[in-house]
Amino acid sequence: MKLNGYYQKLPGSYLFSTIGNKVKAFQDENPEVELIRLGIGDVTLPIAPAIIKALHEAVDEMGNGSTFHGYAPDLGYSFLRETIAQEDYQKRNCPIEADEIFISDGAKSDCGNIQELFATDAKIAVCDPVYPVYVDSNVMAGRAGEYDPVSGTWSNVIYLPCVRENNFIPELPKERPDLIYLCNPNNPTGTTLTKEQLKVWVDYAKAKEAVILYDAAYEAYITDPDVPHSIYEVDGARSCAVEFRSFSKNAGFTGVRLGFTVIPKEITSKEGSLHDMWARRHGTKYNGAPYIQQKAGLAVYSEEGRREVGEQVSYYMRNARAIYEGLTEAGYEAVGGINSPYVWLHTGTLTSWEFFDQLLTKAYVVGTPGSGFGPSGEHYFRLTGFGTYENTVRAVERMKRLKRL
């Protein structure tokens, strides 16, 4: 058989698989140790009652011949697409219509699959550090070039460093990209771009005829009024930006799986319409998110649903603040935890993986090495506010003791 050789270029396993293997090995050797996990960005609170009610009702419908639903519309049920358009966009004065919204099983899938619409020689630009799916999916497609294990970079990828020297704000690249990946709030740094800063990127993309691939998975955690919840709050974004959204982090759907992508009809080139291409791809490769999940998604926008998921977001942000405040008081250097559930911690002279091992074996706390998010993530470490409050406080106390050693 002949395989896709680009997969063989990927260095090692997926970041979180590597972490899982290391943690399992340590736990097997030390079964008496109680680990506190603040690594993977998985939620811990149960699904909100209003959403559970909707799930049960949808399941009951599936057991009745008159209300049974088979294949979902491949682009999503109109009841959910219309609600999203109104509640998430039109109420924010974003000119997005229901037929520009594509329902899927999550933002991760869409962020990885969107690259299929572009030429293999398209040049990508990514913030550094950033969510690894952006780069890895382009490696699999043969778009990233050659990997340099010394620098941790790919030859055909334009890196936009987000480091303390530039306040974790990416600067416009000197080399023209075709695709620009932006994550706001950023995963892993927890930092954000303001509306004014995003306008710079929109204007740049339009001038260079580039497309912004905008991951807004954490928009529910934004508290600062000058940070937009959608890139379409910025004038001109309709003609150059694709937006990805998720129900995982705002409503706890990590185990339910639901998200959506917004592609305005104005994003076109001489070859065709990006909106029409994505619709064609969606219809060919996807049979639609299940009815049960989409009914659950609709419940997120109900009065009870909004209140309940808002309380959960506040709970996780309380955890993030506890991490940030506790560690900075102890002398750690950190950012994030304000508009994002992530705290980005500087590891000092230790590499990211050295700090991971020290934290695991001495404090019994699991986090995520920053180098796994890109070369500029070296000497940084990500901690998540998605644990329970009690475990979060205990983890901070353990890290404070480690700092004193």
Side-chain angles (χ1 to χ4, degrees), residues 211-282:
V211 174
I212 295 174
L213 303 175
Y214 187 79
D215 188 347
Y218 297 93
E219 63 81 26
Y221 293 84
I222 294 172
T223 57
D224 286 346
D226 59 343
V227 177
H229 289 257
S230 168
I231 195 169
Y232 302 117
E233 295 179 49
V234 178
D235 291 340
R238 271 190 59 89
S239 63
C240 66
V242 173
E243 182 165 291
F244 306 96
R245 290 283 193 102
S246 170
F247 286 85
S248 288
K249 303 301 167 31
N250 67 326
F253 278 29
T254 54
V256 176
R257 307 311 305 150
L258 191 68
F260 61 90
T261 292
V262 182
I263 304 185
K265 296 173 184 175
E266 292 176 20
I267 308 179
T268 60
S269 74
K270 60 183 179 181
E271 287 87 8
S273 159
L274 205 63
H275 175 278
D276 294 347
M277 290 175 67
W278 186 246
R280 184 69 171 86
R281 186 232 175 246
H282 225 52

Side-chain angles (χ1 to χ4, degrees), residues 30-45:
N30 303 274
E32 76 287 354
V33 169
E34 181 189 6
L35 293 178
I36 300 178
R37 301 171 187 266
L38 300 181
I40 191 170
D42 197 2
V43 295
T44 52
L45 294 176

